[in-house]
Amino acid sequence: MDDGAFYARDVDPYTPSAARIYHFLLTGEGLYGIDRVYGEALARIAPDGDKLAHYNRSFLRRAVTFMAERGIRQFLDVGAGLPTVGTVHEVARTIIPDTRVVYVDRDLDPVTRYHELLTGQGVLDTTAVIEADLRDPAAILDHPDTVRLIDAGQPVGLLIVWVWHFIADTEQPHRIMAVLRDRMPAGSYVAMSHVSLSDVDESTARRGVEYTHEYNWMVSDHATLRSRHDFTAFFDGWELVEPGIVQACDWRPTGPVLESYARRGCFVGVARKP
């Protein structure tokens, strides 16, 4: 926008979005016909792409559990996407029943679905979904619902999962992260993930390049792949917890993981603010 502000993005049933494609990979549900067409085209290039999405989603659940077990009772889920089984408040409340959660997304599809879910569950007194963009962290942190639910003096569980690769280098993602870090109280945790081709085999890398050339332009959110080093820089000023920066399925796994090309396509990490 000309004024430099960021606005919620209206529903566009003719252009696939990152949130809807991720939802398709997780559930097989296409909200609109274009989502299924695009998702099936993606599956032809990357037949295990759904596994990568599930690895990432499982990491999110394990990270939330890890934080809740360490006393985190309020979460900020930035770029939450469409709700599916095992939402943040559902996972956290198995450990701390009065956990408070603010979900954030710039797309009206996930915002609408989360509002319907939270309303149906009768939890709007302790959860909220807001229309905001990661590119404008102050708008997220100063939103009335964030101020209502998130105690700025108590540690927060900050979640930025499967989002950073949709923020271009020209949009200064590391500066955005620094703003968020500086606003988090000491003792807060952050969990992040990022799609990458750094650790994949040559055949998988070729498929990734093919996808980028043939389909990236079709999606409303263009992907920027980064290296392990670039991803690690998002944690500047935080203290990484064990096992550090690893692939999604290797972060404190709770069971065996089957080998596939998708096993090495997503860096993750969890860290604490000292």
Side-chain angles (χ1 to χ4, degrees), residues 36-88:
R36 181 167 296 280
V37 170
Y38 181 88
E40 290 174 350
L42 174 58
R44 286 193 291 272
I45 292 177
D48 282 355
D50 59 330
K51 291 186 177 66
L52 184 62
H54 281 284
Y55 292 157
N56 180 75
R57 188 70 184 181
S58 295
F59 159 71
L60 172 65
R61 291 193 291 266
R62 296 196 303 276
V64 169
T65 298
F66 173 87
M67 294 180 192
E69 288 175 344
R70 282 148 186 82
I72 299 297
R73 53 197 318 122
Q74 51 183 6
F75 289 85
L76 186 60
D77 186 1
V78 182
L82 289 144
T84 186
V85 176
T87 60
V88 172

Side-chain angles (χ1 to χ4, degrees), residues 140-231:
I140 295 172
L141 297 172
D142 298 332
H143 190 282
D145 279 329
T146 306
V147 174
R148 174 175 66 91
L149 291 175
I150 302 296
D151 183 343
Q154 296 298 317
V156 176
L158 176 62
L159 309 170
I160 311 176
V161 176
W162 199 276
V163 184
W164 282 122
H165 44 267
F166 298 118
I167 308 295
D169 290 334
T170 55
E171 295 170 308
Q172 300 181 298
H174 293 98
R175 180 196 61 79
I176 295 169
M177 185 60 209
V179 173
L180 288 166
R181 178 200 64 215
D182 292 346
R183 292 282 299 269
M184 292 295 107
S188 295
Y189 284 87
V190 63
M192 296 189 275
S193 69
H194 199 300
V195 171
S196 176
L197 296 176
S198 294
D199 283 6
V200 302
D201 59 74
E202 184 178 342
S203 174
T204 301
R206 280 200 307 271
R207 287 197 293 269
V209 171
E210 180 183 351
Y211 160 75
T212 301
H213 286 169
E214 292 195 22
Y215 294 101
N216 206 23
W217 64 274
M218 295 173 56
V219 190
S220 56
D221 310 277
H222 297 170
T224 298
L225 302 182
R226 296 185 174 94
S227 67
R228 179 188 292 267
H229 177 269
D230 291 337
F231 176 60

